[in-house]
Amino acid sequence: MSMRRRVLGQQGEDLACLYLQDKGYVIRERNVRTRHGEIDVIALDGRTLVFVEVRTRTADAYGTAQESITWKKRQKLRELALAYLQRQTESFPSFRFDVIAITCPLGKVDGVATKIDHIEYAF
C-alpha cells in the first residue's frame, strides 16, 4: 500500500472516530490487530458493541467505498469480532457491524470536501 493511501486511510479513520463521538459513541479501541486481520474501530453505542469498518475513497470510479467490502471481507470481520468477544472479560448484550464510507474528492480529508455515509447494521 502506498504511503499516500495509508495516510488517507488514517485520516479517514480519525474523521470517522470524531463523527462517531459527535453522535455519542464511545471509542473503545482502534486498529485492533491480530494475525488474521484488523478491526478499524470498536465503539459503544449505548450498551451495544459496534465493530466499524472504515473505507475512505477519493472517487467512485472503481465503485463506492461500501461496495468495496466484499463477502470475504465481511466474513473475516465476523471472525475477528468473534475472536475479540471471546477475549473479553465483560459481556455485551448485543453487537453489530457498521460501515463508515468517506469520500474526499480532493484526496485529503479537509472536513469541507468530505462526504460521510454511516451505515448501521451494514451486515
Side-chain angles (χ1 to χ4, degrees), residues 20-84:
L20 290 170
Q21 289 171 325
D22 285 347
K23 288 184 69 171
Y25 290 57
V26 175
I27 305 300
R28 284 181 53 102
E29 296 187 58
R30 290 181 61 176
N31 304 113
V32 177
R33 289 182 171 88
T34 71
R35 62 187 179 131
H36 301 291
E38 175 183 290
I39 301 170
D40 294 333
V41 179
I42 301 173
L44 279 172
D45 180 16
R47 295 184 57 210
T48 302
L49 191 65
V50 183
F51 298 96
V52 182
E53 177 70 10
V54 180
R55 293 296 171 115
T56 308
R57 296 276 196 260
T58 57
D60 291 341
Y62 298 104
T64 65
Q66 299 95 312
E67 292 170 338
S68 72
I69 302 173
T70 64
W71 177 89
K72 187 174 179 179
K73 178 64 176 181
R74 290 190 302 267
Q75 188 61 31
K76 179 168 288 265
L77 289 169
R78 287 183 188 106
E79 292 168 5
L80 292 169
L82 180 59
Y84 178 84

Side-chain angles (χ1 to χ4, degrees), residues 84-113:
Y84 178 84
L85 290 168
Q86 290 173 339
R87 290 194 319 261
Q88 300 307 300
T89 56
E90 61 187 298
S91 61
F92 301 94
S94 63
F95 67 92
R96 70 174 195 252
F97 296 92
D98 288 7
V99 171
I100 294 186
I102 300 173
T103 305
C104 38
L106 301 177
K108 63 180 181 174
V109 179
D110 60 10
V112 175

